[in-house]
Amino acid sequence: MYRCCECKKTMKNTAFSYDAYDNEIYRRCPDCGGKTEEERAKCVLCGTALFSGQTAIEAGENIYCTECAVPVAV
């Protein structure tokens, strides 16, 4: 999964664009043309894609999204 850095839309596939200045090909959002980022992890319970900057809970080797994490009183 990919997420647009500008419009925050998530998508399975992206468009590609060539940047002549950098001589690189970048993944772009097909809707707004913004740069996209690839998912960093998936929630082990629901499979939601997690991207950099999102809050997630790490327990051992498992990563949970904030929707699946349940507060526990100690």
Side-chain angles (χ1 to χ4, degrees), residues 2 16 18 20 25 30-31 33 42-44 46-51 54-55 58 60 72:
Y2 297 90
F16 292 95
Y18 173 72
I25 296 175
D31 291 338
K42 285 188 185 257
C43 174
V44 296
C46 69
T48 299
L50 300 169
F51 298 93
Q54 283 186 297
T55 302
E58 186 175 358
V72 178

Side-chain angles (χ1 to χ4, degrees), residues 10-73:
T10 57
M11 61 207 83
K12 289 186 179 184
N13 295 313
T14 62
F16 292 95
S17 69
Y18 173 72
D19 188 336
Y21 181 77
D22 293 341
N23 196 29
E24 293 287 333
I25 296 175
Y26 293 102
R27 292 182 177 272
R28 298 282 184 175
C29 176
D31 291 338
C32 75
K35 286 187 178 179
T36 60
E37 62 178 337
E38 193 170 4
E39 70 183 39
R40 298 291 182 199
K42 285 188 185 257
C43 174
V44 296
L45 289 179
C46 69
T48 299
L50 300 169
F51 298 93
S52 60
Q54 283 186 297
T55 302
I57 291 83
E58 186 175 358
E61 293 182 10
N62 296 327
I63 297 175
Y64 302 92
C65 69
T66 54
E67 297 296 317
C68 291
V70 179
V72 178

